[in-house]
Amino acid sequence: MANVVLENVYKTYPGKVTAVRDVNLEIHDQEFMVLVGPSGCGKSTTLRMIAGLEEISGGSIYIDGRKINDVPPKDRDIAMVFQNYALYPHMSVHQNMAFGLKLRKYPKPEIATRVDEAAEILGIQDYLQRKPKALSGGQRQRVAVGRAIVRKPKAFLFDEPLSNLDAKMRVQMRMEISKLHNRLAATMIYVTHDQVEAMTMGDRIVVMKDGIIQQVAPPMEIYRRPANRFVAGFIGSPSMNFFEGRLDSRDGGLFFQEEHFALQLPAAAATRLASRAGQPIVFGIRPEDLSDSAAPDSEDPILQARLEVKEPMGAEVFLYLNTGKTPFIARVDGHKPYAIGEEVPLRVNLEKSHFFDSESGEVLT
């Protein structure tokens, strides 16, 4: 396996449309790196440049220390798994998996051994003589992954491979690909627009927007310490709540003041943000950090809001509320029978709050 390095990589299309700009990234040997972001953010373009399916407009890409800017895709020693499986319909599963090795003129015994090994890893031994049309979506995706495994490449590239599967199969295949990574100790680069896939699969996550990397970090670091408002809102389900207001210094404390409520900041946050007093600011809080449970010893402030919609999820319920100005979501235990239109008191865990610059969106530290 190998590491993959991108240095100052750009991709500009005719008409001066820049899809990827100044990407600097190192994927370590045996790492599972996930590129995530909304449609059109440049993640698939970045992956395709690594694969050699897109020419780069500027910068350099290295695989295992070798510059590959001008190296044809077939000579980069990578294997790619696509969203649409890209299986040959007239070939059997065995033939699909063996095809790339046949083109490279591997001996027949070695091809058979590699295909059998990959089929055993993926649990598709019983399907080797079937045609793709006789397989389910999940089985077809296993075959596509198997075709990549037999190559024993330096890096595996996945371009939204689970997008065509139903919800239950997506969960199962997420687990299968993660187990495969652990078993093969392989370098894997995985593109998705689904932040749940990113959080559950990646060793590290690259969050992209408008062709620019916003943050690179392990999943929980991104979740707990987002670099900016975009990352905070994109990672997490339901997403983080944002309230626009200003900081007011009064009564010996520092308060976040929205049109309909005020919250006094904890001492540490007040010290950190003292220089921002009197300025507009964005306050962020995740739905699970709003609680409707009684806590006699808690000093958390209370936020009153009107319930507009509720979504029972079983053990918990999502409450869609409004302060009078700002809609937001609370994720609470599903034990209280709230009525639509009711005023709900919520404790705000300000120790887990986030503050962002109102113009740049950057986190304030």
Side-chain angles (χ1 to χ4, degrees):
M1 299 303 165
N3 67 333
V4 179
V5 178
L6 289 78
E7 293 183 352
N8 309 115
V9 171
Y10 281 80
K11 177 61 182 179
T12 303
Y13 291 103
K16 297 184 178 179
V17 177
T18 301
V20 174
R21 61 183 71 233
D22 199 24
V23 166
N24 288 277
L25 180 65
E26 180 176 2
I27 298 101
H28 303 138
D29 184 29
Q30 301 183 17
E31 183 174 29
F32 197 125
M33 179 71 85
V34 179
L35 278 61
V36 67
S39 296
C41 72
K43 57 189 184 296
S44 288
T45 301
T46 300
L47 193 77
R48 290 172 64 84
M49 286 191 289
I50 296 171
L53 303 178
E54 293 274 4
E55 292 185 2
I56 69 172
S57 303
S60 301
I61 300 178
Y62 300 85
I63 296 180
D64 202 16
R66 176 194 180 197
K67 187 174 180 178
I68 60 165
N69 288 27
D70 301 317
V71 175
K74 64 183 180 64
D75 297 327
R76 296 191 177 197
D77 199 10
I78 55 90
M80 193 159 181
V81 180
F82 297 92
Q83 176 181 347
N84 61 359
Y85 320 133
L87 301 177
Y88 295 107
H90 63 287
M91 293 184 181
S92 68
V93 167
H94 187 285
Q95 290 169 329
N96 266 283
M97 293 173 64
F99 187 69
L101 299 180
K102 287 181 66 177
L103 288 180
R104 290 167 175 78
K105 302 188 184 305
Y106 278 76
K108 287 185 179 180
E110 183 174 355
I111 292 176
T113 299
R114 289 195 183 197
V115 170
D116 289 342
E117 287 177 351
E120 182 182 357
I121 289 172
L122 295 166
I124 55 175
Q125 305 98 310
D126 296 339
Y127 311 136
L128 289 176
Q129 301 310 315
R130 294 188 190 180
K131 299 287 180 62
K133 66 180 180 181
L135 304 177
S136 68
Q139 290 165 345
R140 292 180 195 177
Q141 194 56 273
R142 282 186 172 87
V143 176
V145 173
R147 184 177 53 194
I149 291 174
V150 298
R151 294 266 313 280
K152 298 184 178 179
K154 288 184 176 179
F156 291 85
L157 311 183
F158 294 85
D159 190 8
E160 305 210 34
L162 309 185
S163 295
N164 292 336
L165 304 180
D166 61 47
K168 184 176 181 180
M169 184 56 67
R170 286 172 71 102
V171 172
Q172 183 177 342
M173 284 303 298
R174 283 206 312 258
M175 182 177 63
E176 293 296 332
I177 293 174
S178 294
K179 288 197 298 185
L180 181 65
H181 172 252
N182 293 331
R183 180 166 180 171
L184 299 179
T187 302
M188 293 186 175
I189 309 171
Y190 187 104
V191 161
T192 181
H193 65 274
D194 186 336
Q195 57 91 20
V196 175
E197 283 183 20
M199 288 290 293
T200 55
M201 298 176 73
D203 295 326
R204 285 191 299 159
I205 299 175
V206 180
V207 183
M208 297 186 69
K209 177 190 177 189
D210 299 332
I212 300 171
I213 291 179
Q214 304 294 307
Q215 188 172 2
V216 183
M220 291 312 298
E221 182 177 338
I222 282 186
Y223 187 79
R224 292 170 178 156
R225 291 183 288 277
N228 55 44
R229 180 173 175 173
F230 173 79
V231 174
F234 191 82
I235 298 295
S237 181
S239 61
M240 184 180 290
N241 300 301
F242 299 104
F243 301 87
E244 296 184 359
R246 62 189 307 108
L247 289 179
D248 284 345
S249 180
R250 65 175 187 267
D251 303 327
L254 190 64
F255 291 76
F256 171 75
Q257 180 70 58
E258 198 241 23
E259 185 175 336
H260 295 280
F261 68 89
L263 301 172
Q264 185 172 3
L265 273 60
T271 300
R272 190 174 74 246
L273 299 172
S275 63
R276 292 268 176 169
Q279 297 181 20
I281 200 170
V282 176
F283 165 64
I285 189 81
R286 294 204 178 274
E288 59 268 31
D289 295 324
L290 298 168
S291 173
D292 64 344
S293 300
D297 299 330
S298 174
E299 297 181 359
D300 292 338
I302 300 296
L303 172 62
Q304 293 276 355
R306 178 178 174 273
L307 179 62
E308 296 184 329
V309 176
K310 58 182 179 180
E311 290 184 348
M313 305 298 289
E316 58 188 13
V317 60
F318 296 165
L319 304 180
Y320 292 77
L321 306 113
N322 200 308
T323 62
K325 175 186 177 183
T326 306
F328 67 99
I329 304 173
R331 184 175 186 169
V332 301
D333 291 337
H335 62 286
K336 292 185 180 179
Y338 291 113
I340 301 301
E342 182 178 351
E343 288 289 321
V344 179
L346 296 165
R347 291 192 298 109
V348 184
N349 185 352
L350 287 176
E351 297 295 339
K352 295 186 177 180
S353 60
H354 304 264
F355 295 91
F356 306 93
D357 185 273
S358 60
E359 292 186 5
S360 70
E362 294 300 307
V363 69
L364 300 175
T365 58

